[in-house]
Amino acid sequence: MKVLISGGSSGLGAATVREVLAAGGTPLVLDREPPASGVDGRVDYVCADLADTPAAESAVRELAERAGGLDAVFTAAGIDIPGSLSTISTKEWERVVQVNLLGTAAVVRAALPYLERSRGTVVTCSSTLGLRSVSDATAYCASKAGVVGFTRALAAETAGRIGVTLLVPGGMDTAFFDGRDDQHKPPPDAKLNRPEHVAKAVLHALRQPAGCEVREMVVCHSEEGSWP
C-alpha cells in the first residue's frame, strides 16, 4: 500500500508513517521538514509548504509519479496559533486556515486522479474542536469545521470511486502544544491520547475493502475533556 501522508514528519503524521512501514506499506511524506529520525532512507518525501497551494499540489504529483501511483492519502498536517481574534495578526490567522483547510483540499485535489485509478482511500484529519469550539481558537476551529464539511461533501461527490473517511481526533501527546503560553496548553493532568494509537485507527480505515468505508471516527482518550 502506497500512502501519501501530509505532515508526515512529526506528531500523528510521523506515527502513521511508522504504522504504514510496520504493515509492510510504502509511506510517502509531504512536509516542510524531512521525515523524523528512525525512518531515514526508508521514506520518500518532498518538502513543501501546505500554505502554498501550487507547491502542495506539485509535491503530491511528484511523489505519486515517483511511487508509480497512490493507494491512499492521509492529510495529517495541521497547525494552530492560539489567541483571541483581536490579537492574532491577519497573516497568522489566515495561515492556519490555509494549512489546515486549503492545504487539505489541495492535497486531495492533486491526489484524486491517482486514487480513482486504484480505487483508493482518503482519510482527512479534523479535530474534536471542529465540532466543539473554544475560545482563543477561531482560526483553528473554523478550519477544522471546514474539514468536516469538505470531507462529507467529498464523500458524496466521489461515492463509488474512492473511499473517504473523516478522522476526528481528540488531544494528543505530541509537540503540537510546545512553545505555547501556559494558558493555551492542556493542564498538567490532562488525559491525552498517544499518536500511535490514533495512527492504528487510520490504518484500520485504510484497510477496508473497496465499497466498505469507515465514514467517520472520533478517536480520543476516554478521559480527555474535548469530547463529547
Side-chain angles (χ1 to χ4, degrees):
M1 180 186 292
K2 291 171 281 194
V3 185
L4 188 148
I5 302 166
S6 68
S9 294
S10 63
L12 175 58
T16 306
V17 166
R18 294 190 292 270
E19 288 295 324
V20 172
L21 285 170
T26 302
L28 309 164
V29 170
L30 191 167
D31 202 304
R32 294 181 70 188
E33 303 292 336
S37 61
V39 298
D40 314 58
R42 294 187 289 161
V43 177
D44 194 8
Y45 69 93
V46 172
C47 288
D49 186 348
L50 285 181
D52 182 341
T53 295
E57 293 181 345
S58 176
V60 170
R61 289 190 289 267
E62 182 177 345
L63 283 167
E65 291 296 328
R66 293 203 306 232
L70 296 174
D71 299 304
V73 168
F74 176 40
T75 60
I79 63 169
D80 185 22
I81 303 172
S84 67
L85 182 61
S86 61
T87 59
I88 298 297
S89 71
T90 300
K91 183 176 181 180
E92 289 177 317
W93 199 98
E94 291 183 351
R95 177 169 176 78
V96 173
V97 177
Q98 287 167 344
V99 171
N100 296 355
L101 177 56
L102 303 186
T104 293
V107 169
V108 174
R109 183 186 301 112
L112 268 179
Y114 303 97
L115 294 172
E116 289 181 332
R117 284 197 286 271
S118 64
R119 201 172 179 187
T121 300
V122 171
V123 178
T124 62
C125 188
S126 181
S127 165
T128 48
L129 294 189
L131 303 176
R132 175 176 181 261
S133 298
V134 296
S135 175
D136 287 3
T138 54
Y140 187 78
C141 291
S143 64
K144 290 300 188 177
V147 171
V148 173
F150 167 76
T151 307
R152 290 173 176 171
L154 180 70
E157 184 176 303
T158 61
R161 292 165 26 221
I162 67 170
V164 178
T165 297
L166 171 67
L167 172 67
V168 182
M172 289 174 282
D173 186 11
T174 69
F176 187 76
F177 301 109
D178 290 0
R180 295 185 177 199
D181 296 337
D182 288 344
Q183 65 174 325
H184 294 131
K185 289 182 179 181
D189 60 348
K191 304 294 186 181
L192 301 176
N193 222 349
R194 297 293 306 165
E196 58 267 28
H197 296 165
V198 183
K200 291 182 187 298
V202 174
L203 263 289
H204 173 69
L206 296 181
R207 285 173 168 153
Q208 297 305 303
C212 177
E213 300 177 29
V214 179
R215 283 299 197 193
E216 300 185 6
M217 52 185 179
V218 177
V219 184
C220 58
H221 190 285
S222 63
E223 298 177 73
E224 196 257 329
S226 70
W227 184 264

